[in-house]
Amino acid sequence: MSQMRGHSPAGPDKPSRPVGAPPLVRAWAEALGAAAAGIVAMFVVAALGLWAAGAGDLPGGAFPRVVAAVVVIAAGGSVDLWGDAGVIVQADAALEVVPLSVTLAGVLATATVFLLPLRHRAVAGTGELLGRVARTALFWLLFLLFLALAARHSFRISLGDDTADDLGAEFGATPTVSFRADVPATLGLGLLWLVAVLALTFLISRRAPLSSGLLHFQNSVRPPGFAMLLVLLGYVVIGLIAGVVVLLTKGHQAETFAVICLGLPNLVWMALGVGMGGAWTGHVDKGIGLPMPHVLDQALRSRGGDRTLDVGALAAYDGRAWLLVALAAVVLLAAAFVAAVRAPAGVPAWRHALEMAVALALTLLVVGLLTEVFAHYGLSLMGIGDLGGLGGEIVLQPELLRLVGLGAAWGLVTGWLGSLLARRVLHRGQVPFAEARRPGPSSGA
């Protein structure tokens, strides 16, 4: 028996591998999962949108490479686009637009999977959090590198019929469009994109643990940050419902589905700014294949200078545009109310108003920067004119000062009103007054 007791510690119950190995393997697996979730989500959404937009018919097997290019752009990367049509005929091309549906899918998937292992914790060490971010960033850069190397292709643009195509080939004037991801810029900007996403995740989500030194910031930053997240996602949901209704009742299913999968946040977040009184300027002189709602195309259609896109301009083509003002008021007031309820009890109304003003001004600044559009394709003979009517251009730029100023003003008003409405509602962690006054059990009972 004594020999058996002496031998038992080395028996099968004792672990045969180091205790630290499983947590390390699990940490790397969690990082891989977070990075892969974002990339896969973006790739699927981009592929569906491009397929609906007709990119599946591009020659030379370009479709998967175009999808890779769109994912690179959505993840903050850089893709160069240019045209070529030989010596006699010149071609030029440019495209600067962020497919925010693809970006949003990647943001939500990455943040959700990244937070899963941390959701039951309130505090985490700075070293641990930085380690998780670094491991996720490593896999993210590897995926981006693969996509950037795949995002390059050239394909021919038809001149309209077989005869014109044959003549163009005969004279060496067949127009082609080429694109190629800028690998160093993609990796650098893609890393900044990921860091920004994870930083915003920790600023907004209650499920994200903070280091002890940052805990005092959460009461002033997280409530208005979460309110802005509700506003942006709420507009996306409203736009998605409207898009599905149009998809089922108005026809043009492919175009509508392409808009939903590629540019829905671009449109609905512009609708937020327009409803608050903001404006964009630009023009559409000729469509070049980008999916765009008809009313927006009408409001921007111009062969001369830029036109202003605001609620009045949209209402001239569709009177329902004035509903955007009422929608903005309701959504922002609801968000301000939620922010006031999530904040600690006793915070004065002026502070809620100030926090909402800052948060909404910054949100509209980001929305404005993300919704800029410049798309152009043109052919010219010896550098003169537009050959064959194949050129086209879309330009859309925000009036940033107007957006930021209106965001601050709306934030002050809705933040103040939301705080007043929340006074009769229990805040998070607050104990009801009657329960707080209830005496505890008597020690002599």
Side-chain angles (χ1 to χ4, degrees):
M1 293 294 290
S2 62
Q3 292 179 350
M4 292 180 63
R5 291 191 190 99
H7 184 70
S8 60
D13 293 336
K14 185 177 180 179
S16 58
R17 55 183 178 180
V19 176
L24 183 60
V25 172
R26 184 167 60 250
W28 282 99
E30 291 166 354
L32 174 61
I39 293 295
V40 170
M42 287 194 290
F43 198 91
V44 170
V45 174
L48 290 174
L50 290 169
W51 169 77
D57 297 328
L58 290 174
F63 180 69
R65 298 182 180 275
V66 172
V67 175
V70 170
V71 174
V72 165
I73 296 172
S78 176
V79 175
D80 298 323
L81 179 69
W82 68 94
D84 184 21
V87 178
I88 299 177
V89 180
Q90 288 81 42
D92 62 284
L95 180 62
E96 297 177 12
V97 57
V98 181
L100 289 179
S101 292
V102 182
T103 299
L104 183 61
V107 169
L108 294 178
T110 302
T112 300
V113 178
F114 183 87
L115 287 181
L116 280 178
L118 304 171
R119 63 189 183 279
H120 298 305
R121 300 171 57 183
V123 180
T126 303
E128 178 189 356
L129 295 179
L130 291 178
R132 288 181 177 273
V133 172
R135 287 187 290 269
T136 304
L138 177 61
F139 286 116
W140 183 262
L141 291 177
L142 289 175
F143 287 130
L144 273 187
L145 177 61
F146 174 77
L147 289 172
L149 294 176
R152 55 183 64 197
H153 197 71
S154 297
F155 49 88
R156 191 177 69 175
I157 301 296
S158 175
L159 291 173
D161 54 49
D162 293 338
T163 301
D165 290 339
D166 292 340
L167 288 174
E170 183 71 22
F171 289 99
T174 301
T176 61
V177 171
S178 304
F179 63 89
R180 180 178 60 201
D182 186 334
V183 176
T186 293
L187 295 181
L189 295 173
L191 179 60
L192 291 177
W193 184 94
L194 178 68
V195 171
V197 168
L198 296 181
L200 288 174
T201 300
F202 281 99
L203 286 175
I204 293 173
S205 176
R206 281 179 173 169
R207 296 190 301 167
L210 297 174
S211 61
S212 57
L214 297 177
L215 289 176
H216 61 285
F217 288 109
Q218 63 181 346
N219 291 332
S220 59
V221 174
R222 282 184 171 176
F226 181 76
M228 293 303 98
L229 178 65
L230 286 183
V231 169
L232 296 179
L233 292 184
Y235 264 80
V236 171
V237 171
I238 293 170
L240 181 59
I241 294 173
V244 171
V245 171
V246 172
L247 188 71
L248 297 177
T249 61
K250 302 295 184 180
H252 305 288
Q253 286 86 358
E255 293 86 348
T256 302
F257 190 73
V259 170
I260 291 174
C261 290
L262 295 176
L264 181 61
N266 301 64
L267 298 175
V268 297
W269 293 347
M270 283 177 56
L272 167 64
V274 168
M276 294 171 60
W280 278 254
T281 58
H283 63 269
V284 176
D285 62 358
K286 193 180 298 179
I288 60 174
L290 291 180
M292 178 180 294
H294 181 63
V295 65
L296 191 60
D297 178 80
Q298 285 182 310
L300 292 174
R301 179 72 63 174
S302 171
R303 293 188 179 274
D306 289 342
R307 304 183 66 175
T308 298
L309 180 68
D310 56 15
V311 67
L314 289 176
Y317 298 95
D318 190 338
R320 293 173 296 180
W322 291 108
L323 294 175
L324 295 176
V325 180
L327 178 62
V330 171
V331 172
L332 291 175
L333 184 58
F337 172 79
V338 170
V341 171
R342 290 171 69 95
V347 176
W350 66 264
R351 181 172 168 180
H352 284 297
L354 185 60
E355 291 174 352
M356 281 293 295
V358 173
L360 190 52
L362 290 175
T363 298
L364 286 185
L365 174 63
V366 173
V367 166
L369 294 174
L370 290 178
T371 52
E372 286 185 327
V373 176
F374 177 74
H376 172 80
Y377 182 77
L379 293 177
S380 60
L381 182 63
M382 302 297 291
I384 302 174
D386 175 28
L387 180 63
L390 293 179
E393 185 175 75
I394 299 175
V395 177
L396 194 61
Q397 294 181 325
E399 296 185 3
L400 289 178
L401 290 179
R402 182 172 171 178
L403 282 172
V404 172
L406 287 168
W410 277 78
L412 285 172
V413 174
T414 56
W416 183 278
L417 294 176
S419 177
L420 296 181
L421 293 174
R423 285 184 176 180
R424 298 181 179 273
V425 179
L426 287 178
H427 293 239
R428 182 175 177 86
Q430 188 177 4
V431 180
F433 179 72
E435 182 178 341
R437 294 189 58 185
R438 186 180 303 162
S442 174
S443 60

